[in-house]
Coordinates of all heavy atoms in Angstrom, one line a residue:
M26 N 69.9 126.4 26.0 CA 69.3 127.4 26.9 C 69.4 126.9 28.3 O 69.5 127.8 29.2 CB 67.8 127.3 26.5 CG 66.9 128.3 27.2 SD 67.3 129.9 26.7 CE 66.0 130.8 27.4
L27 N 69.4 125.7 28.6 CA 69.5 125.1 30.0 C 70.9 125.6 30.7 O 70.9 126.0 31.7 CB 69.3 123.6 30.2 CG 69.2 123.1 31.5 CD1 68.1 123.7 32.3 CD2 69.2 121.6 31.4
P28 N 72.0 125.5 30.0 CA 73.3 125.9 30.6 C 73.2 127.5 30.9 O 73.8 127.9 31.9 CB 74.3 125.6 29.5 CG 73.7 124.5 28.7 CD 72.3 124.7 28.8
V29 N 72.6 128.3 30.1 CA 72.6 129.7 30.4 C 71.7 130.0 31.6 O 72.2 130.8 32.4 CB 72.0 130.4 29.1 CG1 71.7 131.9 29.4 CG2 72.9 130.2 27.9
I30 N 70.6 129.3 31.8 CA 69.7 129.6 32.9 C 70.6 129.0 34.1 O 70.5 129.7 35.2 CB 68.5 128.7 32.7 CG1 67.6 129.3 31.6 CG2 67.7 128.7 34.1 CD1 66.4 128.6 31.3
A31 N 71.3 127.8 34.0 CA 72.0 127.3 35.2 C 73.2 128.3 35.6 O 73.3 128.6 36.7 CB 72.5 125.9 34.9
A32 N 73.9 128.8 34.6 CA 74.9 129.8 34.9 C 74.5 131.1 35.5 O 75.0 131.6 36.5 CB 75.7 130.1 33.7
S33 N 73.3 131.6 35.1 CA 72.6 132.8 35.7 C 72.2 132.5 37.1 O 72.3 133.4 37.9 CB 71.6 133.3 34.9 OG 70.5 132.5 34.8
M34 N 71.7 131.4 37.5 CA 71.2 131.0 38.8 C 72.4 130.9 39.6 O 72.4 131.4 40.9 CB 70.6 129.6 38.7 CG 69.3 129.7 38.0 SD 67.9 130.4 38.9 CE 67.5 129.2 40.0
V35 N 73.6 130.3 39.2 CA 74.7 130.2 39.9 C 75.3 131.6 40.3 O 75.6 131.9 41.4 CB 75.8 129.3 39.4 CG1 77.2 129.4 40.1 CG2 75.4 127.9 39.3
A36 N 75.3 132.4 39.3 CA 75.9 133.8 39.5 C 75.0 134.5 40.4 O 75.4 135.3 41.4 CB 75.9 134.6 38.1
A37 N 73.6 134.4 40.5 CA 72.8 135.0 41.4 C 73.1 134.6 42.7 O 72.9 135.4 43.7 CB 71.3 134.9 40.9
M38 N 73.2 133.2 42.9 CA 73.4 132.7 44.4 C 74.7 133.3 44.9 O 74.8 133.6 46.0 CB 73.3 131.1 44.2 CG 71.9 130.7 43.9 SD 70.7 131.2 45.1 CE 71.2 130.2 46.4
M39 N 75.9 133.4 44.0 CA 77.1 133.8 44.4 C 77.0 135.2 45.0 O 77.7 135.5 45.9 CB 78.2 133.6 43.4 CG 78.5 132.2 43.0 SD 79.1 131.3 44.5 CE 80.7 132.1 44.7
A40 N 76.2 136.0 44.3 CA 76.0 137.4 44.6 C 75.3 137.6 46.1 O 75.6 138.4 46.8 CB 75.2 138.2 43.7
L41 N 74.5 136.6 46.4 CA 73.8 136.6 47.6 C 74.6 136.2 48.7 O 74.5 136.7 49.9 CB 72.5 135.7 47.5 CG 71.4 136.2 46.6 CD1 70.2 135.2 46.6 CD2 70.8 137.7 47.1
V42 N 75.5 135.3 48.6 CA 76.4 134.8 49.7 C 77.8 135.4 49.7 O 78.6 135.1 50.6 CB 76.5 133.2 49.6 CG1 75.2 132.5 49.7 CG2 77.2 132.8 48.3
A43 N 78.1 136.4 48.7 CA 79.4 137.1 48.8 C 79.4 138.0 50.0 O 78.4 138.6 50.4 CB 79.5 137.8 47.6
P44 N 80.7 138.0 50.6 CA 80.6 138.8 51.8 C 80.5 140.3 51.6 O 80.9 140.7 50.5 CB 82.0 138.5 52.4 CG 82.8 138.0 51.3 CD 81.7 137.3 50.4
A45 N 80.0 141.0 52.5 CA 79.8 142.5 52.2 C 81.2 143.2 52.3 O 82.1 142.7 53.1 CB 78.9 143.1 53.3
A46 N 81.4 144.3 51.7 CA 82.6 145.0 51.7 C 82.7 145.7 53.1 O 81.7 146.2 53.7 CB 82.5 146.2 50.7
A47 N 83.8 145.6 53.6 CA 84.2 146.2 54.9 C 84.1 147.8 55.0 O 84.4 148.3 53.9 CB 85.6 145.8 55.5
E48 N 83.6 148.4 55.9 CA 83.6 149.7 56.0 C 85.1 150.3 56.4 O 85.7 149.9 57.4 CB 82.6 150.3 57.1 CG 81.2 149.9 56.8 CD 80.4 150.2 58.0 OE1 80.5 151.3 58.7 OE2 79.4 149.5 58.3
P49 N 85.5 151.2 55.6 CA 86.8 151.8 56.0 C 86.7 152.7 57.2 O 85.8 153.6 57.3 CB 87.2 152.5 54.7 CG 85.9 153.0 54.0 CD 85.0 151.8 54.4
L50 N 87.5 152.4 58.0 CA 87.7 153.3 59.4 C 88.9 154.2 59.0 O 90.0 153.9 59.0 CB 87.9 152.5 60.6 CG 86.8 151.4 60.9 CD1 87.2 150.7 62.1 CD2 85.4 152.0 61.0
D51 N 88.4 155.6 59.0 CA 89.3 156.6 58.6 C 90.4 156.9 59.8 O 90.0 157.3 60.8 CB 88.7 157.9 58.2 CG 89.6 158.8 57.4 OD1 90.8 158.7 57.5 OD2 89.0 159.7 56.7
P52 N 91.8 156.6 59.6 CA 92.7 156.7 60.6 C 93.0 158.2 60.9 O 93.6 158.5 61.9 CB 93.9 156.1 60.0 CG 93.8 156.1 58.5 CD 92.3 156.1 58.3
R53 N 92.4 159.2 60.1 CA 92.5 160.6 60.5 C 91.8 161.2 61.6 O 92.0 162.2 62.0 CB 92.4 161.4 59.3 CG 93.3 161.1 58.1 CD 92.9 162.0 56.8 NE 91.6 161.4 56.4 CZ 90.8 162.0 55.5 NH1 91.4 163.1 54.8 NH2 89.7 161.5 55.1
Y54 N 90.7 160.3 61.9 CA 89.7 160.9 63.0 C 89.8 160.0 64.3 O 89.7 158.8 64.1 CB 88.3 160.9 62.4 CG 88.3 161.8 61.2 CD1 88.3 161.3 59.9 CD2 88.1 163.1 61.4 CE1 88.2 162.2 58.9 CE2 88.0 164.1 60.5 CZ 88.0 163.6 59.1 OH 87.8 164.5 58.1
P55 N 89.9 160.6 65.4 CA 90.1 159.8 66.6 C 88.8 159.2 67.2 O 88.8 158.3 68.0 CB 90.7 160.8 67.7 CG 90.2 162.0 67.1 CD 90.1 161.9 65.7
V56 N 87.6 159.6 66.7 CA 86.4 159.3 67.3 C 85.4 158.7 66.2 O 85.3 159.3 65.2 CB 85.7 160.4 68.1 CG1 84.4 159.9 68.8 CG2 86.6 160.9 69.0
C57 N 84.8 157.6 66.5 CA 83.8 156.9 65.6 C 82.5 156.9 66.2 O 82.2 156.9 67.4 CB 84.2 155.5 65.3 SG 85.9 155.3 64.5
L58 N 81.4 156.9 65.3 CA 80.0 156.8 65.7 C 79.6 155.4 65.2 O 79.7 155.2 64.0 CB 79.2 158.0 65.1 CG 77.7 157.7 65.4 CD1 77.3 158.2 66.7 CD2 77.0 158.6 64.4
Q59 N 79.1 154.6 66.1 CA 78.5 153.3 65.6 C 77.0 153.4 65.9 O 76.5 153.7 66.9 CB 79.1 152.2 66.5 CG 78.5 150.8 66.1 CD 79.1 149.7 66.8 OE1 79.8 149.8 67.9 NE2 78.9 148.4 66.4
K60 N 76.3 153.2 64.6 CA 74.9 153.5 64.5 C 74.2 152.1 64.2 O 74.6 151.4 63.3 CB 74.6 154.4 63.6 CG 73.2 154.7 63.3 CD 73.0 155.8 62.2 CE 71.5 155.9 61.8 NZ 71.3 156.8 60.6
W61 N 73.3 151.7 65.1 CA 72.5 150.4 64.8 C 71.4 150.7 63.9 O 70.7 151.7 64.0 CB 72.0 149.8 66.1 CG 73.1 149.2 66.9 CD1 73.6 147.8 66.7 CD2 74.0 149.8 67.9 NE1 74.7 147.7 67.5 CE2 74.9 148.9 68.2 CE3 74.1 151.1 68.4 CZ2 76.0 149.1 69.2 CZ3 75.0 151.3 69.3 CH2 76.0 150.4 69.7
E62 N 71.1 149.8 63.0 CA 70.1 150.0 62.0 C 69.1 148.9 62.1 O 69.3 147.9 62.9 CB 70.7 150.0 60.6 CG 71.7 151.0 60.4 CD 72.3 151.0 59.1 OE1 72.4 150.0 58.4 OE2 73.0 152.0 58.7
W63 N 68.0 149.0 61.5 CA 66.9 148.0 61.4 C 67.3 146.7 61.1 O 68.2 146.6 60.1 CB 65.7 148.5 60.5 CG 64.6 147.8 60.5 CD1 64.2 146.8 59.6 CD2 63.6 147.8 61.6 NE1 63.1 146.2 60.0 CE2 62.6 146.8 61.3 CE3 63.4 148.3 62.7 CZ2 61.5 146.5 62.0 CZ3 62.2 148.1 63.5 CH2 61.3 147.2 63.2
G64 N 67.0 145.7 61.8 CA 67.3 144.3 61.5 C 68.6 143.9 62.2 O 69.1 142.8 62.0
G65 N 69.2 144.7 63.1 CA 70.2 144.4 63.9 C 71.6 144.7 63.4 O 72.7 144.5 64.1
S66 N 71.7 145.2 62.2 CA 73.1 145.5 61.7 C 73.5 146.9 62.1 O 72.7 147.6 62.8 CB 73.1 145.5 60.1 OG 72.1 146.6 59.7
S67 N 74.8 147.1 62.1 CA 75.4 148.4 62.5 C 76.3 148.9 61.5 O 76.9 148.1 60.7 CB 76.0 148.3 63.9 OG 77.1 147.5 63.9
R68 N 76.5 150.3 61.5 CA 77.4 150.9 60.7 C 78.4 151.8 61.5 O 77.9 152.3 62.5 CB 76.8 151.7 59.6 CG 76.0 150.8 58.7 CD 75.6 151.6 57.5 NE 76.8 152.1 56.7 CZ 77.0 151.7 55.5 NH1 76.2 151.0 54.8 NH2 78.1 152.2 54.9
T69 N 79.6 151.9 61.2 CA 80.6 152.7 61.9 C 81.1 153.8 61.0 O 81.4 153.6 60.0 CB 81.8 151.8 62.4 OG1 81.1 150.9 63.1 CG2 82.6 152.7 63.3
Y70 N 80.9 155.0 61.5 CA 81.4 156.2 60.7 C 82.4 156.9 61.6 O 82.2 157.4 62.7 CB 80.2 157.2 60.6 CG 79.0 156.6 59.9 CD1 77.9 156.2 60.7 CD2 78.8 156.6 58.6 CE1 76.8 155.7 60.2 CE2 77.8 156.0 58.0 CZ 76.7 155.5 58.8 OH 75.6 155.0 58.2
C71 N 83.7 156.9 61.1 CA 84.8 157.5 61.8 C 85.1 158.9 61.1 O 85.9 158.9 60.2 CB 86.1 156.6 61.7 SG 85.8 155.2 62.7
S72 N 84.4 159.9 61.6 CA 84.7 161.2 60.9 C 84.5 162.4 61.9 O 84.1 163.4 61.7 CB 83.7 161.5 59.8 OG 82.3 161.3 60.3
Y73 N 84.8 162.0 63.2 CA 84.7 163.0 64.3 C 86.0 163.3 64.9 O 86.8 162.4 65.3 CB 83.6 162.5 65.3 CG 82.3 162.3 64.7 CD1 81.9 161.0 64.3 CD2 81.4 163.3 64.6 CE1 80.8 160.8 63.7 CE2 80.2 163.2 63.9 CZ 79.9 161.9 63.5 OH 78.5 161.7 62.9
L74 N 86.2 164.7 65.2 CA 87.5 165.1 65.8 C 87.5 165.1 67.3 O 88.5 165.2 68.0 CB 87.9 166.4 65.2 CG 88.3 166.5 63.8 CD1 88.5 167.9 63.4 CD2 89.6 165.6 63.5
S75 N 86.2 165.1 67.9 CA 86.0 165.3 69.2 C 84.8 164.3 69.8 O 83.9 164.1 69.0 CB 85.8 166.7 69.8 OG 84.6 167.2 69.4
W76 N 84.9 164.1 71.0 CA 83.8 163.3 71.6 C 82.5 164.1 71.7 O 81.5 163.7 71.4 CB 84.2 162.9 73.1 CG 85.3 161.8 73.1 CD1 86.5 162.0 73.3 CD2 85.0 160.5 72.9 NE1 87.3 160.8 73.3 CE2 86.3 159.9 73.0 CE3 84.0 159.7 72.7 CZ2 86.4 158.5 72.9 CZ3 84.2 158.2 72.5 CH2 85.4 157.7 72.7
E77 N 82.6 165.5 71.7 CA 81.4 166.3 71.9 C 80.8 166.2 70.5 O 79.5 166.3 70.3 CB 81.8 167.7 72.3 CG 82.3 167.8 73.7 CD 83.8 167.4 73.9 OE1 84.5 167.3 72.9 OE2 84.1 166.9 75.0
D78 N 81.5 166.4 69.5 CA 80.9 166.4 68.1 C 80.2 165.1 67.9 O 79.0 164.9 67.3 CB 82.0 166.5 67.0 CG 82.6 167.9 66.9 OD1 81.9 168.9 67.5 OD2 83.7 168.1 66.4
C79 N 80.7 163.9 68.2 CA 80.2 162.6 68.1 C 79.0 162.4 68.9 O 77.9 162.0 68.4 CB 81.2 161.4 68.5 SG 80.5 159.8 68.2
R80 N 79.0 162.9 70.2 CA 77.8 162.8 71.0 C 76.7 163.7 70.5 O 75.4 163.2 70.5 CB 78.2 163.1 72.5 CG 78.8 162.1 73.2 CD 79.0 162.5 74.7 NE 79.9 163.5 74.9 CZ 81.1 163.3 75.5 NH1 81.3 162.2 76.3 NH2 82.1 164.3 75.6
A81 N 77.0 164.8 69.9 CA 76.0 165.6 69.4 C 75.3 164.9 68.1 O 74.0 165.0 67.9 CB 76.5 166.9 68.8
A82 N 76.1 164.2 67.3 CA 75.6 163.5 66.2 C 74.7 162.3 66.7 O 73.8 161.9 65.9 CB 76.6 163.0 65.3
A83 N 75.1 161.7 67.8 CA 74.4 160.5 68.3 C 73.1 160.8 69.0 O 72.3 159.9 69.2 CB 75.4 159.6 69.1
M84 N 72.9 162.0 69.4 CA 71.7 162.3 70.2 C 70.5 162.0 69.5 O 70.2 162.3 68.3 CB 71.8 163.9 70.5 CG 70.6 164.2 71.4 SD 71.0 165.3 72.8 CE 72.8 165.2 73.0
G85 N 69.7 161.2 70.1 CA 68.4 160.8 69.6 C 68.5 159.5 68.7 O 67.4 159.1 68.3
L86 N 69.6 159.1 68.5 CA 69.7 157.8 67.6 C 70.1 156.5 68.4 O 70.5 156.8 69.6 CB 70.8 158.1 66.5 CG 70.7 159.3 65.5 CD1 72.0 159.3 64.8 CD2 69.4 159.1 64.7
S87 N 69.9 155.5 67.8 CA 70.4 154.3 68.5 C 71.9 154.1 68.0 O 72.2 153.5 67.1 CB 69.7 153.1 67.9 OG 70.1 151.9 68.5
A88 N 72.7 154.8 68.8 CA 74.2 154.9 68.4 C 75.0 155.2 69.6 O 74.5 155.5 70.7 CB 74.3 156.0 67.5
M89 N 76.3 155.0 69.4 CA 77.1 155.3 70.6 C 78.6 155.7 69.9 O 78.9 155.4 68.8 CB 77.4 154.2 71.5 CG 78.2 152.9 70.9 SD 78.4 151.7 72.1 CE 80.1 151.1 71.6
C90 N 79.3 156.5 70.6 CA 80.6 156.9 70.2 C 81.7 156.0 70.8 O 81.5 155.5 71.9 CB 80.9 158.4 70.8 SG 79.7 159.5 70.1
L91 N 82.8 155.7 70.0 CA 83.8 154.9 70.5 C 85.1 155.4 70.0 O 85.1 156.1 68.8 CB 83.5 153.5 70.2 CG 83.2 153.2 68.6 CD1 84.4 152.6 68.0 CD2 82.1 152.1 68.7
A92 N 86.3 155.1 70.5 CA 87.5 155.4 70.0 C 87.8 154.7 68.7 O 87.6 153.5 68.6 CB 88.6 155.2 71.1
N93 N 88.5 155.4 67.9 CA 88.9 154.8 66.6 C 90.1 153.9 66.8 O 91.1 154.4 67.1 CB 89.1 155.8 65.5 CG 89.4 155.2 64.2 OD1 89.6 154.0 64.0 ND2 89.4 156.2 63.1
P94 N 90.1 152.6 66.6 CA 91.3 151.7 66.9 C 92.2 151.9 65.8 O 93.4 151.4 66.0 CB 90.7 150.3 66.9 CG 89.4 150.3 66.0 CD 88.9 151.8 66.2
Y95 N 92.0 152.5 64.7 CA 93.0 152.8 63.7 C 93.4 154.2 63.6 O 94.2 154.6 62.6 CB 92.3 152.3 62.2 CG 92.0 150.9 62.2 CD1 90.6 150.5 62.3 CD2 92.9 149.9 62.1 CE1 90.3 149.2 62.4 CE2 92.5 148.5 62.1 CZ 91.2 148.2 62.2 OH 90.9 147.0 62.1
W96 N 93.1 154.9 64.6 CA 93.6 156.4 64.7 C 95.1 156.3 64.6 O 95.8 155.7 65.5 CB 93.0 157.1 65.8 CG 93.3 158.5 65.8 CD1 93.4 159.4 64.8 CD2 93.8 159.3 67.0 NE1 93.6 160.6 65.3 CE2 94.0 160.7 66.6 CE3 94.0 159.0 68.3 CZ2 94.4 161.5 67.4 CZ3 94.4 159.9 69.1 CH2 94.5 161.2 68.6
A97 N 95.6 157.2 63.8 CA 97.1 157.2 63.6 C 97.7 158.2 64.7 O 98.9 158.2 65.0 CB 97.5 157.8 62.3
G98 N 96.9 158.9 65.5 CA 97.4 159.8 66.5 C 97.8 161.1 65.9 O 98.0 161.2 64.7
P99 N 98.1 162.1 66.7 CA 98.6 163.3 66.1 C 100.0 163.1 65.5 O 100.8 162.2 65.9 CB 98.7 164.2 67.3 CG 98.8 163.3 68.6 CD 98.1 162.0 68.2
G100 N 100.1 163.7 64.4 CA 101.5 163.6 63.7 C 102.6 164.0 64.5 O 102.4 164.7 65.5
P101 N 103.8 163.5 64.2 CA 104.9 163.8 65.1 C 105.2 165.3 65.0 O 105.2 165.9 63.9 CB 106.0 163.1 64.5 CG 105.5 162.6 63.1 CD 104.1 162.6 63.1
A102 N 105.5 166.0 66.1 CA 105.7 167.3 66.1 C 107.0 167.6 65.2 O 107.3 168.7 64.7 CB 105.8 167.9 67.5
G103 N 107.9 166.7 65.4 CA 109.2 167.0 64.7 C 110.2 167.7 65.5 O 109.8 168.6 66.2
A104 N 111.5 167.5 65.3 CA 112.3 168.4 65.9 C 112.4 169.6 65.2 O 112.3 169.8 64.1 CB 113.7 167.7 66.0
P105 N 112.6 170.7 66.1 CA 112.8 172.0 65.5 C 114.0 172.1 64.5 O 115.0 171.4 64.9 CB 113.0 173.0 66.6 CG 113.4 172.2 67.8 CD 112.9 170.8 67.5
H106 N 113.9 172.7 63.4 CA 115.0 172.8 62.5 C 116.1 173.7 63.1 O 115.9 174.9 63.3 CB 114.5 173.3 61.1 CG 115.6 173.4 60.1 ND1 116.1 172.2 59.6 CD2 116.2 174.3 59.6 CE1 117.1 172.6 58.7 NE2 117.2 173.8 58.7
V107 N 117.3 173.2 63.2 CA 118.4 173.9 63.6 C 119.4 174.0 62.6 O 119.8 173.0 61.9 CB 119.0 173.3 64.9 CG1 120.2 174.0 65.4 CG2 117.9 173.2 66.0
R108 N 119.8 175.3 62.2 CA 120.8 175.4 61.2 C 122.2 175.2 61.8 O 122.5 175.7 62.8 CB 120.8 176.9 60.6 CG 119.5 177.0 59.9 CD 119.4 178.4 59.3 NE 120.7 178.9 58.7 CZ 120.8 180.0 58.0 NH1 120.0 181.0 58.2 NH2 122.1 180.3 57.4
P109 N 123.0 174.4 61.1 CA 124.4 174.1 61.5 C 125.2 175.5 61.6 O 124.9 176.4 60.8 CB 124.9 173.1 60.7 CG 124.2 173.2 59.4 CD 122.9 173.8 59.8
A110 N 126.0 175.6 62.5 CA 127.0 176.8 62.5 C 127.8 176.8 61.4 O 128.3 175.9 61.0 CB 127.7 176.8 63.9
P111 N 128.0 178.0 60.8 CA 128.8 178.1 59.6 C 130.3 177.7 60.0 O 130.8 178.1 61.1 CB 128.7 179.4 59.1 CG 128.2 180.3 60.4 CD 127.5 179.2 61.1
T112 N 131.0 177.2 59.1 CA 132.4 176.8 59.5 C 133.2 178.2 58.9 O 133.0 178.5 57.8 CB 132.9 175.6 58.7 OG1 132.6 175.7 57.3 CG2 132.2 174.4 59.2
R113 N 134.2 178.5 59.7 CA 135.0 179.7 59.4 C 136.3 179.2 59.0 O 137.0 178.6 59.8 CB 135.0 180.7 60.5 CG 133.6 181.2 60.8 CD 133.7 182.2 61.9 NE 132.2 182.5 62.4 CZ 131.6 183.6 62.1 NH1 132.2 184.6 61.4 NH2 130.4 183.8 62.5
T114 N 136.8 179.5 57.9 CA 138.2 179.3 57.5 C 138.8 180.6 57.2 O 138.8 181.1 56.0 CB 138.2 178.3 56.4 OG1 137.4 178.8 55.3 CG2 137.6 176.9 56.9
W115 N 139.7 181.2 58.1 CA 140.4 182.4 57.8 C 141.7 182.0 57.9 O 142.5 181.5 58.4 CB 140.2 183.4 58.8 CG 138.8 184.0 58.8 CD1 138.1 184.3 57.6 CD2 138.0 184.5 59.8 NE1 136.8 184.9 58.1 CE2 136.8 185.0 59.4 CE3 138.1 184.5 61.4 CZ2 135.8 185.5 60.2 CZ3 137.1 185.1 62.1 CH2 136.0 185.5 61.5

């Protein structure tokens, strides 16, 4: 019985000291909202396409908008597709 209790205590302690999962910062959105929560922690939500949208969401909260460091930027426009001239063999 004692080994079972000791093993469960060790498992409970490991759960308490395990690092928290990192928040994914979505590279599809250029603007993030960092919101401070009770106790001094903060969360970052990267789901805004413009600064105006982020500022509207942050209004009245303990939060600020910031640039997403993982933003992939606008996709490459790509070169226009040009058809090669047909070869004529007469």
Side-chain angles (χ1 to χ4, degrees):
M26 182 74 168
L27 186 60
V29 173
I30 294 173
S33 63
M34 296 281 284
V35 168
M38 294 302 286
M39 291 302 290
L41 290 175
V42 295
E48 295 175 40
L50 300 180
D51 196 337
R53 295 176 295 169
Y54 298 98
V56 183
C57 299
L58 173 77
Q59 184 175 11
K60 181 180 171 189
W61 286 273
E62 297 175 346
W63 185 257
S66 64
S67 69
R68 296 192 63 122
T69 303
Y70 305 94
C71 293
S72 59
Y73 299 95
L74 294 173
S75 70
W76 290 96
E77 291 78 23
D78 290 343
C79 181
R80 280 190 285 240
M84 183 131 344
L86 300 175
S87 176
M89 69 179 217
C90 299
L91 51 104
N93 184 351
Y95 298 103
W96 183 45
H106 181 70
V107 178
R108 291 177 55 178
T112 56
R113 299 181 191 254
T114 55
W115 290 324

